[in-house]
Amino acid sequence: MSTQTVPRLLRPRVEHSLPARLSRSAAVTASGHQMRTEDVADWLAGRARAHHFKVERVPLDELDGWSFAPGTGDLGHRSGKFFSVVGLSVAVDDGPIPDWCQPIIRQPEVGILGILAKEFDGVLHFLMQAKMEPGNRNLLQLSPTVQATRSNYQRVHQGSKVKYLDHFVRPGRGRVLSDSLQSEHGSWFYRKSNRNMLVETDADVPVDDDFCWLTLGQIGELLRLDNVVNMDARTVISCFPMSLPEAGALCSDTELLSWFTAERARHDVEVRRIPLADVGGWERDAEGLGRPDGRYFRVTGVAVEAGSREVTGWAQPLLEPCGTGIAAFLFRRIGGVPHLLVHAKVEGGYLDTVELAPTVQCTPENWEHQPAEHRPPFLDMVSAAPGDGRIRYEAVHSEEGGRFLNAEIRYLFVEADEATAPLDPQSGYQWVTVGQLNSLTAHGHYVNVQARTLLSCVNSGAVKL
């Protein structure tokens, strides 16, 4: 009897056709298989009218199902699931503020952010959801096909099943095109990660009333508008493997990774979880938990009614930023190739000390009391950019509406030159190409969530550099 084994069928390590298919989808901007781009706003408004939505502020002490733990003062849910608000102590070796304490959201479970793709008439389309989030100023925005925490899709809330979830958790229901763990806001979340997935199907997919198929180019057109495409959709799109053609880069991929590794290694950052009751400089009152000087953010409570969600009513705390943030990439064409100036930024909630952030990422009001030399580099340049023709892209986008209340950031691409942003940048900054930044999103905890929003604008064609 022969003992010869059948060799396993080898597959290509890289699907070379995918970037071209994504680019082809990004080029289709006016109309897709299901809907014209100009009709999306009316469709979203119709989905908002089709359901009952209501969000009311509630004192933290009166949140149904939530309580402050005796001793620690941590704010958590009676199930022990979902998330909690705890304290964090941070000490850093660099920057104008060497140490601080703050409340932070702790949500150790990994959620799924998944977009389902299908080809119609030779063009990839993406199944997008009109999803209500209580923290969004306009409540309902375009979200991924699936946007669910583990507690949600395991139905801890005893609500209905998450639609289309099987495509992302059951083997054989689709072909995975990209899949990576990505961080969320390092100043507001403690080591939070979500699984960002793009899955293609050839099957017939019944389309629920709150879902529609759009091309990547249509999504790009919508990313030029304020508060239409939600944060979770933007981060998944940033991870699409675009493989943009580039003649070269100011530094090689190996040099870039070496610089980034050195940035992680050189920072001495001490992060400790502490009881929420021990967070100094923060006070609880009838409105929530915040600072007497009104800076940074508050923790407040809401009661929610949402007819289109898996559970139609619930209560929860939300983090409410004090002011609108700014996240901006300075860019230059170097040897004809667009380069972005990234910042190796330390944030207390990161899993690994440093991630690549936009050139400027802050809330300006939080720095007004600081002397000029302590203000974030390039902030004054970005703040002065409107009106001088250097802005290539500008829009206000909501952040995670499931955890943050009215959290908005003004996102920009601003053209620079040698006088404003030299090729030999200051410590902590480096010039990278769009393709280099896009390739790093295949790995977790390299590119932060604000930089990924800006990258999604390039991937989708919302901005051309």
Side-chain angles (χ1 to χ4, degrees), residues 260-308:
F260 182 55
T261 303
E263 285 295 316
R264 278 187 165 168
R266 78 176 177 89
H267 287 285
D268 186 11
V269 181
E270 181 182 347
V271 178
R272 293 184 298 113
R273 279 178 48 205
I274 61 174
L276 185 59
D278 292 349
V279 174
W282 295 71
E283 298 177 356
R284 257 173 67 191
D285 56 28
E287 300 301 319
L289 175 65
R291 288 170 54 100
D293 60 14
R295 296 195 182 103
Y296 305 114
F297 60 85
R298 296 180 57 82
V299 180
T300 189
V302 295
V304 184
E305 297 175 14
S308 62

Side-chain angles (χ1 to χ4, degrees), residues 28 41 57 59 76 144 158 168 179 228 245 309 312 342 344 364 391 412 429:
V28 179
R57 290 182 184 261
Q158 298 182 338
F168 301 91
D179 190 354
V228 174
R309 294 290 298 264
T312 57
V342 298
I391 293 179
L412 304 102
Y429 291 80

